[in-house]
Amino acid sequence: MDGDFTYADVGATATDRQPEGFSRLWVRTRIGEGDTDFRTAACAVSGWRMHRAMGVRVDADAESAVEGARVRVGLGIGPLRLHAPCRVVWTLDERRRTGWAYGTLAGHPQCGEEAFVVTRDGSGTVWLTVLAFSRPAVWWTRAAGGLVPVFQRRYADRCGTVLRRLVREGGRAGD
């Protein structure tokens, strides 16, 4: 990958490392049970469906999260829409874990990385973990101070709520 990321520790979320000088976010939400719920959740996360169902505008140069894909996330409405350019830094597709992370590019209001990982544990419970490290990249996110982590936590909680709803809507046949 080329060096247009706005931070040095590209890929750190894959190893759950928190680079020095960054705030950490870790939110885990129970999504469902069994293989069908796992597959439904994995597809929704990898194919941008979870984000879009949250009302997030996702402009990506790939139909699903693949390493190197450029993604521009849009939050908000109309002239208040915030555009945040990112690039997928890693993906994971295993029998009991799937997910990906993107890192910030120039123009993003934050600097860092965010990962979305769906797991199925030994008892069959399906979980979504949102893991991130970040710090402000522009004056107005610095000025927002303690509000940014609150917003990030609410966003991660909303990811879990929306994914759980998508899984419920996806049915449980074949489990």
Side-chain angles (χ1 to χ4, degrees):
M1 285 187 214
D2 58 31
D4 59 350
F5 290 99
T6 58
Y7 62 103
D9 293 309
V10 175
T13 54
T15 59
D16 198 16
R17 267 189 350 255
Q18 179 184 339
E20 194 172 320
F22 288 81
S23 297
R24 183 176 195 263
L25 172 75
W26 189 89
V27 176
R28 185 176 188 221
T29 306
R30 186 183 179 283
I31 301 302
E33 291 288 327
D35 192 50
T36 298
D37 285 358
F38 173 76
R39 286 192 316 267
T40 302
C43 288
V45 169
S46 295
W48 320 117
R49 186 171 172 225
M50 176 187 72
H51 286 81
R52 289 184 173 129
M54 292 172 53
V56 175
R57 179 171 288 165
V58 177
D59 298 316
D61 63 6
E63 289 184 25
S64 63
V66 294
E67 192 170 327
R70 288 186 177 269
V71 182
R72 191 172 82 149
V73 177
L75 298 169
I77 56 171
L80 299 178
R81 184 173 302 275
L82 167 76
H83 296 283
C86 306
R87 188 152 32 110
V88 176
V89 297
W90 59 260
T91 61
L92 174 67
D93 187 12
E94 298 173 352
R95 191 166 79 69
R96 292 185 171 267
R97 289 188 318 156
T98 191
W100 55 273
Y102 51 33
T104 58
L105 302 175
H108 196 293
Q110 289 289 99
C111 173
E113 201 168 286
E114 187 169 29
F116 306 89
V117 179
V118 177
T119 57
R120 182 175 176 210
D121 67 20
S123 69
T125 303
V126 178
W127 300 91
L128 171 68
T129 302
V130 179
L131 171 66
F133 61 85
S134 65
R135 65 180 176 212
V138 295
W139 72 267
W140 51 271
T141 53
R142 283 189 289 279
L147 293 177
V148 173
V150 171
F151 172 75
Q152 290 172 323
R153 172 66 192 222
R154 290 192 68 191
Y155 180 84
D157 287 338
R158 179 107 173 99
C159 286
T161 300
V162 167
L163 186 58
R164 189 171 36 242
R165 178 180 53 83
L166 291 172
V167 165
R168 270 197 319 266
E169 292 170 357
R172 302 180 67 77
D175 201 33

